[in-house]
Amino acid sequence: MRPRKSPKVVDAAPFPHRVLPYFLLAPQLAITVLFFVWPAVQALSGAFYQADPFGLSKQFVGLSNFAALFEEHSYLRAFRVTAIYAITSTVLAMGLGLLLAVLTDSLTRARGVYRTLFIWPYAVAPAITGSLWVFMFSPQVGAGAQVLATLGVNWNYILDGNQALLLIIAMTAWQQIAYNFLFFTAGLQAIPASLLEAAALDGAGPVRRFWTIVFPLLAPTSFFLLVMNSVFILFDTFGLINIVTKGGPGESTQTLVYKLYQDGFQNLNLGSAAAQSVVLMALVAGLTIVQFRYIGRKVHYQ
């Protein structure tokens, strides 16, 4: 009897050459270093200096930029405006996105048409979104302003700070609803139909099935969207505010990002702007850590 040959060991290396993985990663690493690491290091370094408006000379001032920042009334006001804006917009966008996803998922006809219509706002550029909302809610000629006037609302967001803040909250939520709707729809489609059918046979109504089965199973999706919505509202809403209100009237819609832009690029206070960018980065990092440490523990992925 001939001895059986041992199976040949196959080299499982996915790349034919050792240098190839580093070569493929090089473009992404270069972009990350050039557009994220290097600007972050420059901002961190600039926060400890006071530079002249043209950046030709600078003087080391230690933590003076940070101390002056938290003694400034307008900066503390921007903190409060950002908190109201971020919390309200996130709750509205996620709540309405989930509601629309559940309603369209329960449809038996024209489901694809409704899903396509609800996703459209996300494809609209922020500049176009801002222009559309300015046109719709212009106090003089806007159709939305005329509807509010017939309801007895004295609408003029150009002069009323509360109305201006309400307008950018509604505008931001409108654009983010499509993003949340897309992920909630994908999450609903991943829930096994057998679970819902078994609950229905046990006598559970639609509301009870949603709160006991659907909502807990959507927890990973909700947690992901909570993080993404928070980051988007803190960093990516500059264009909307700049087109619609430019931080006004007064400072009623001046968020942390918009104040950083005004101090750095309009007032040319480069040291203060660098300190604000460091505080903003620390704020987002701290918020993300809190979300993963406390909220993420209540999320079950299986």
Side-chain angles (χ1 to χ4, degrees):
M1 183 176 179
R2 299 175 59 184
R4 299 181 61 183
K5 295 181 178 179
S6 59
K8 185 179 181 181
V9 178
V10 179
D11 188 7
F15 298 100
H17 197 280
R18 185 178 298 177
V19 182
L20 183 58
Y22 301 101
F23 180 75
L24 295 176
L25 283 174
Q28 183 61 44
L29 291 175
I31 291 173
T32 303
V33 171
L34 185 61
F35 293 104
F36 179 74
V37 177
W38 184 60
V41 172
Q42 288 291 319
L44 184 61
S45 172
F48 298 98
Y49 288 88
Q50 187 63 49
D52 68 277
F54 301 101
L56 300 177
S57 62
K58 59 183 180 180
Q59 180 182 3
F60 182 76
V61 293
L63 298 175
S64 298
N65 286 328
F66 293 97
L69 207 57
F70 288 99
E71 293 175 354
E72 188 180 347
H73 176 72
S74 61
Y75 189 70
L76 300 178
R77 181 187 177 89
F79 248 106
R80 185 174 66 86
V81 171
T82 303
I84 296 173
Y85 174 50
I87 294 172
T88 312
S89 301
T90 300
V91 171
L92 273 177
M94 290 187 63
L96 292 176
L98 176 59
L99 176 63
L100 293 176
V102 171
L103 290 178
T104 54
D105 191 64
S106 62
L107 293 176
T108 56
R109 300 179 60 183
R111 182 187 301 175
V113 175
Y114 283 104
R115 285 176 175 171
T116 303
L117 291 175
F118 288 141
I119 292 172
W120 269 1
Y122 191 66
V124 181
I128 298 175
T129 300
S131 302
L132 288 174
W133 280 72
V134 166
F135 182 73
M136 286 193 302
F137 288 94
S138 170
Q140 290 80 25
V141 297
Q146 293 180 3
V147 172
L148 292 174
T150 58
L151 297 175
V153 178
N154 185 19
W155 176 261
N156 192 340
Y157 77 91
I158 298 175
L159 300 177
D160 192 315
N162 292 327
Q163 291 183 358
L165 183 58
L166 182 63
L167 181 63
I168 65 167
I169 287 173
M171 184 175 55
T172 304
W174 176 80
Q175 193 168 39
Q176 277 300 98
I177 283 174
Y179 181 81
N180 297 329
F181 171 80
L182 188 64
F183 279 89
F184 278 130
T185 299
L188 288 172
Q189 291 178 341
I191 296 176
S194 58
L195 290 177
L196 301 176
E197 292 170 358
L201 291 175
D202 289 339
V207 177
R208 187 177 179 184
R209 290 200 299 271
F210 174 80
W211 288 113
T212 57
I213 298 176
V214 176
F215 192 70
L217 291 177
L218 284 177
T221 305
S222 303
F223 179 63
F224 167 77
L225 291 176
L226 177 64
V227 175
M228 296 305 295
N229 277 263
S230 302
V231 173
F232 170 80
I233 291 170
L234 286 173
F235 279 112
D236 291 345
T237 52
F238 167 80
L240 295 176
I241 296 174
N242 190 50
I243 289 175
V244 178
T245 64
K246 296 188 184 303
E251 298 174 344
S252 56
T253 57
Q254 188 185 58
T255 60
L256 291 175
V257 171
Y258 201 79
K259 179 167 176 54
L260 191 158
Y261 160 74
Q262 287 185 319
D263 286 347
F265 294 93
Q266 293 182 343
N267 302 329
L268 298 180
N269 190 348
L270 303 181
S272 177
Q276 291 179 46
S277 65
V278 172
V279 172
L280 191 58
M281 281 193 295
L283 177 66
V284 174
L287 186 62
T288 305
I289 291 172
V290 168
Q291 288 174 336
F292 274 91
R293 187 174 181 85
Y294 295 102
I295 302 177
R297 287 180 178 177
K298 299 180 181 179
V299 176
H300 303 284
Y301 293 89
Q302 291 182 347

